[in-house]
Amino acid sequence: MLLRATALVFCLLAFGHAAQFNLTDSCNRPPEADNAALAALLQLVPPLPPLKSDNDECRLHSRLFHEELQEMKMWALKMYDSNSKIGSSLLNGNLVHLGDFDQCVSVLRSPEQMGGGPRVRGRYCAVSIYLEPVGLPKKWRELHSIIDLMKSHSAMSNEHQNNDLHLPTFSPVQLGFCIPDSCGHQDLEKSILEFLRPINITSGIDFKVKIGENSCRNGDANSMDIWTAITVLFVASLLLFALIGTHHEKAHTAEDGSLLPTATKGTFNRLLLAFSFRRNWRSLVDTDVPEDELSCLHGMRFIASLMIYIIHKVVFILFHPFSNRTDVANLLEGDWTMIFRAFWNWVDAFVIMSGLLTSFYAFKKLKAGQRLNIPKMYFQRYLKFTPMVFVWSLMLQNLMQHQISGPNLIRIVGPYIDNCKRGLLPVLTYTSVFDGLNKMCYPPAHQLVTDMHMYIMAPFIMMGIWKYPKKAPAALLAVVVALGAMKYSTVMKNDLGSFLFYGMSTETTVRSANAIYVNALHRLTPYLMGLSLGYILQITECKRVLSRVQMAAGTAIAIGCATYAMFGVSHTARKGYIYQVSEAAVFATFQPLMWGFALCWLVYCCATKQAPCWLRRFLTWRGFLVYSRLSYAIYLTQLYVVAVNVGNAVDATRFGVHRIFDLNDIALVGIISLLSTLILLLPLQDVSTLISGGYKPPNYSKYIKPVGDLTKEVSSSTECLVEAVEE
């Protein structure tokens, strides 16, 4: 294997030199010399034998390719050159060699130029070849070690028979083949298997070939269509409407900066004003908040959002054809990686905050003697979150295929685009998770769907708590116990994983995600804890009700719970870990309880001003408030931007930690999120109040006051000093 790989490397270098020599010096050399040089090259790196196919046209074109390759016809040389050539660093996991997609799909044998014969075009096919040693480990020890290095210790594994969502994996050799467009993926798969059959018998390695039904693409597959044009016009119209709204506001603004009454006269004028860039920018950067707002949530949202961005970035960057993937696998080993492997914690942070904010303001209304308008709650939430995810799903469906290179379009986002093209109704109806991740359109939408499902249940749970405050704790405890038992049983019965352990297969990842991650019932425990905390904060009016001893005990318990939720199964991040379903089931049962209590305790301490002053000052920094308003757009846009960036990387490079914090990606996510928030999210909040009848004219007085009212403001440093004196 090593000798053969070395020969292939030298062959690749020789071919590049010879091709350049033939193109530049062919006028000074006799044709016999060129043919001899090409024959020597083809002995080192022979093209795939003529494809074995039941299609007569495919067999004819394949034979014609071989014949005219010997004659050095340019179309045949391009088809040959477009195929993958195995490179160096095989023992460092460099198994991704994608060939040249653009050159392949540009191949054209024109009968007019060739003096007759058939017209042949190039078709690119992405191929995965799995290497499995068949001998006993003791007898084939060296071979097993070689395969283990080539597969980067199977840190992210996959098997040939798995047909799951496209996720990064270190298991297969991924190659690109250029074949005549009259041939299909089955013809190529049959021919490769035939070519590898003698090697399978003698090498001690079982080569298995996998070519998906959608793994082959022609050059016209990415041509512009009517839906692409409609999507571009739709997005442009949103921007145009925002510009018109901005002009409307400017035209109805007095010299002193106040808004004239004519600006909000009539429904259409109010609608225009809602989309004004200037108005929405002011709303975005306005850091004046009500006294009872839970400001510490903004800092918590920033931290959780940052961690989720890093997790998404790492997952997608592993698709990159790194030449040192074994080094990457070694970097992914260690207890510290549980910060990202225990991804449930960061996702549950948003679940807790969602339940907390829902109940905090709902119980505030109930305490004031108002009733919950449940249909209005549903309508406002639907109008707030749905349009943006619909727009990004539409862009994924019709635009992303024109922004990503062909090989990675097949490897990374092809299934998502195909799912979107089946229809966006599941996105609009929040039913996209019912068929599993394999059938979803826009990947980040799963969190929105499960959150919407829990939100639908929330009003009835809150009314039960409000009406039966003495019985509610026992009822909620019984529900949490039942949910824990159900989750434990589900993990045990289906052999699922509740954390990303070292060597976890993509098949286990997808099965686990479909069964528990996108299931609202299995995500309900931290949501109930958030709902309960909102009730407690309202009935206590965010005042201190615990003694110092109770606070110290609660803090110690919270730290212990957070430590278990984050590092309780840290040994699973080490090489050689053997998966144990009982361990995964126990962690799945207690993790949401432990992490939920830790976060709820932190919020309680901050809301009642019993947390350390430096911590409260950090979490309530006003910059986090602005970020918090952008966080929904950041969550939706980050995967699109990261996927496009990684999708255009087809050449092998070396991995470095700096790639995770790509400033270009971060800046682009920030800019697009800002525009999305100003054009869609903030305007639609006004539109929802306009439709529901709760519209109030905007108050611009605070923007034109020369000096603010400082008597009502107390700086955080002064507040901390006062607390220290009181203690």
Side-chain angles (χ1 to χ4, degrees):
M1 284 293 297
L2 292 178
L3 292 175
R4 182 174 299 175
T6 305
L8 290 174
V9 173
F10 282 112
C11 173
L12 175 61
L13 297 175
F15 175 74
H17 174 74
Q20 180 181 6
F21 186 84
N22 287 337
L23 291 175
T24 56
D25 298 341
S26 58
C27 295
N28 302 323
R29 301 183 62 202
E32 295 79 5
D34 288 335
N35 292 337
L38 179 63
L41 283 174
L42 296 182
Q43 287 181 355
L44 289 174
V45 184
L48 196 67
L51 299 183
K52 299 181 180 298
S53 174
D54 298 331
N55 183 349
D56 295 336
E57 188 179 22
C58 174
R59 293 199 305 271
L60 171 64
H61 292 176
S62 182
R63 287 197 302 268
L64 185 63
F65 159 71
H66 279 266
E67 293 171 1
E68 299 197 351
L69 178 64
Q70 299 292 338
E71 299 172 6
M72 298 188 67
K73 302 299 183 183
M74 185 55 66
W75 78 272
L77 283 172
K78 286 184 176 180
M79 183 170 285
Y80 170 74
D81 187 35
S82 301
N83 286 276
S84 299
K85 310 294 191 300
I86 302 296
S88 58
S89 300
L90 292 178
L91 297 181
N92 209 358
N94 187 20
L95 300 183
V96 181
H97 305 277
L98 302 177
D100 193 330
F101 175 85
D102 294 327
Q103 180 175 255
C104 175
V105 297
S106 68
V107 168
L108 172 63
R109 184 191 186 277
S110 174
E112 294 79 11
Q113 296 179 357
M114 301 300 297
R119 182 181 300 272
V120 181
R121 295 182 180 274
R123 169 178 290 179
Y124 179 90
C125 292
V127 179
S128 297
I129 300 178
Y130 291 79
L131 315 177
E132 297 295 339
V134 295
L136 297 175
K138 292 183 179 180
K139 182 179 180 181
W140 298 85
R141 183 174 303 170
E142 287 298 326
L143 181 60
H144 280 254
S145 299
I146 292 172
I147 298 298
D148 181 62
L149 288 174
M150 293 175 67
K151 295 166 65 173
S152 302
H153 310 303
S154 296
M156 302 182 70
S157 63
N158 191 19
E159 297 181 1
H160 169 264
Q161 66 271 19
N162 293 340
N163 185 25
D164 47 45
L165 190 69
H166 284 204
L167 293 172
T169 174
F170 294 169
S171 296
V173 181
Q174 299 184 48
L175 305 174
F177 284 82
C178 191
I179 61 176
D181 66 340
S182 57
C183 303
H185 71 283
Q186 294 177 335
D187 302 322
L188 178 60
E189 183 174 352
K190 185 189 304 182
S191 300
I192 295 177
L193 287 173
E194 185 70 21
F195 178 77
L196 292 175
R197 182 171 290 114
I199 304 177
N200 280 352
I201 297 174
T202 60
S203 66
I205 302 176
D206 184 16
F207 291 85
K208 296 180 179 179
V209 180
K210 185 174 183 178
I211 308 177
E213 184 178 354
N214 298 320
S215 295
C216 297
R217 300 181 69 88
N218 296 336
D220 56 355
N222 290 342
S223 59
M224 300 286 288
D225 56 16
I226 184 64
W227 288 108
T228 302
I230 291 175
T231 303
V232 172
L233 290 175
F234 177 70
V235 175
S237 66
L238 292 174
L239 180 60
L240 178 61
F241 199 72
L243 293 175
I244 294 173
T246 305
H247 175 74
H248 170 76
E249 181 194 8
K250 185 177 180 181
H252 293 82
T253 301
E255 293 182 359
D256 62 352
S258 61
L259 191 67
L260 298 175
T262 54
T264 58
K265 187 176 181 180
T267 302
F268 184 71
N269 285 339
R270 294 174 180 176
L271 187 63
L272 283 178
L273 187 63
F275 282 85
S276 169
F277 269 124
R278 184 185 180 192
R279 180 195 177 189
N280 290 321
W281 173 259
R282 286 175 167 178
S283 299
L284 177 66
V285 299
D286 182 11
T287 56
D288 290 339
V289 296
E291 293 183 0
D292 63 344
E293 180 167 315
L294 302 175
S295 299
C296 62
L297 295 186
H298 302 310
M300 294 172 59
R301 185 178 285 111
F302 170 78
I303 296 172
S305 180
L306 176 63
M307 291 300 175
I308 288 180
Y309 171 79
I310 295 175
I311 293 171
H312 286 164
K313 180 71 175 181
V314 170
V315 168
F316 269 82
I317 207 172
L318 291 176
F319 281 109
H320 198 292
F322 290 121
S323 60
N324 60 332
R325 288 204 300 177
T326 304
D327 294 339
V328 179
N330 293 332
L331 183 64
L332 295 177
E333 181 186 10
D335 295 1
W336 72 273
T337 62
M338 290 304 299
I339 298 175
F340 310 110
R341 291 181 179 275
F343 65 96
W344 281 94
N345 295 327
W346 308 116
V347 178
D348 282 352
F350 285 100
V351 175
I352 292 169
M353 287 187 284
S354 177
L356 171 59
L357 291 172
T358 298
S359 65
F360 185 77
Y361 294 107
F363 285 122
K364 182 180 179 180
K365 288 184 177 181
L366 292 174
K367 192 170 67 171
Q370 303 177 21
R371 299 181 62 182
L372 296 181
N373 189 337
I374 298 178
K376 182 179 178 181
M377 291 172 60
Y378 291 161
F379 171 76
Q380 289 182 336
R381 192 172 187 87
Y382 183 87
L383 191 60
K384 177 181 178 180
F385 291 109
T386 309
M388 189 178 292
V389 71
F390 173 78
V391 169
W392 282 104
S393 298
L394 195 66
M395 293 175 62
L396 175 65
Q397 177 188 25
N398 299 312
L399 297 184
M400 183 174 278
Q401 58 187 329
H402 305 292
Q403 299 174 282
I404 291 183
S405 65
N408 289 327
L409 189 63
I410 298 172
R411 297 172 59 232
I412 303 176
V413 298
Y416 303 117
I417 295 175
D418 294 338
N419 292 339
C420 289
K421 290 185 175 180
R422 295 189 185 102
L424 297 181
L425 184 62
V427 175
L428 296 174
T429 58
Y430 288 86
T431 58
S432 57
V433 300
F434 292 155
D435 294 327
L437 289 178
N438 290 336
K439 303 297 182 182
M440 286 193 67
C441 168
Y442 200 64
H446 68 80
Q447 178 64 26
L448 305 176
V449 175
T450 52
D451 188 78
M452 179 63 79
H453 294 170
M454 292 184 288
Y455 186 81
I456 292 173
M457 295 183 278
F460 306 100
I461 298 173
M462 290 187 296
M463 287 190 297
I465 295 174
W466 185 256
K467 190 173 182 179
Y468 305 102
K470 294 183 179 180
K471 298 180 180 179
L476 288 174
L477 180 60
V479 171
V480 168
V481 171
L483 290 173
M486 183 174 64
K487 194 172 185 180
Y488 180 91
S489 175
T490 302
V491 174
M492 289 291 294
K493 182 179 179 180
N494 299 287
D495 201 28
L496 305 177
S498 57
F499 41 77
L500 299 176
F501 57 86
Y502 195 95
M504 188 174 187
S505 68
T506 58
E507 187 267 341
T508 301
T509 303
V510 173
R511 283 195 304 106
S512 303
N514 290 339
I516 57 178
Y517 185 51
V518 299
N519 189 319
L521 286 178
H522 292 307
R523 304 283 298 280
L524 193 57
T525 296
Y527 194 79
L528 291 175
M529 299 179 76
L531 291 178
S532 303
L533 179 60
Y535 174 77
I536 293 172
L537 292 177
Q538 277 296 345
I539 62 174
T540 60
E541 298 180 348
C542 295
K543 295 180 179 178
R544 304 185 184 190
V545 294
L546 299 179
S547 65
R548 289 189 177 184
V549 175
Q550 291 172 326
M551 284 296 303
T555 302
I557 295 173
I559 293 174
C561 289
T563 303
Y564 172 80
M566 192 66 71
F567 300 105
V569 289
S570 58
H571 59 284
T572 65
R574 302 168 192 165
K575 192 185 307 177
Y577 170 73
I578 299 176
Y579 168 71
Q580 298 179 6
V581 64
S582 59
E583 186 174 42
V586 170
F587 184 78
T589 303
F590 290 101
Q591 175 272 332
L593 291 170
M594 300 287 193
W595 186 252
F597 177 80
L599 287 191
C600 287
W601 184 260
L602 174 60
V603 174
Y604 176 81
C605 292
C606 288
T608 57
K609 299 182 180 180
Q610 297 179 87
C613 191
W614 63 267
L615 180 59
R616 299 205 315 272
R617 292 178 62 184
F618 170 72
L619 294 177
T620 58
W621 178 55
R622 294 191 175 188
F624 291 149
L625 171 60
V626 178
Y627 177 88
S628 187
R629 292 169 180 156
L630 294 169
S631 60
Y632 175 56
I634 290 174
Y635 175 73
L636 285 182
T637 60
Q638 60 184 254
L639 277 188
Y640 193 100
V641 173
V642 170
V644 170
N645 187 12
V646 175
N648 287 313
V650 294
D651 299 320
T653 57
R654 293 190 66 81
F655 171 80
V657 178
H658 66 280
R659 290 183 177 272
I660 299 176
F661 302 97
D662 190 324
L663 295 181
N664 293 325
D665 275 4
I666 295 173
L668 193 56
V669 169
I671 293 172
I672 297 176
S673 301
L674 177 62
L675 290 174
S676 300
T677 302
L678 295 177
I679 293 175
L680 274 177
L681 186 61
L682 294 179
L684 290 175
Q685 291 180 5
D686 286 341
V687 172
S688 65
T689 58
L690 181 62
I691 296 175
S692 60
Y695 181 81
K696 294 181 180 179
N699 180 16
Y700 280 19
S701 59
K702 60 183 176 181
Y703 299 121
I704 59 178
K705 282 184 177 179
V707 180
D709 185 5
L710 301 179
T711 59
K712 296 181 180 180
E713 297 182 3
V714 179
S715 66
S716 57
S717 58
T718 305
E719 185 178 345
C720 292
L721 181 60
V722 171
E723 291 178 9
V725 172
E726 289 179 350
E727 292 181 358

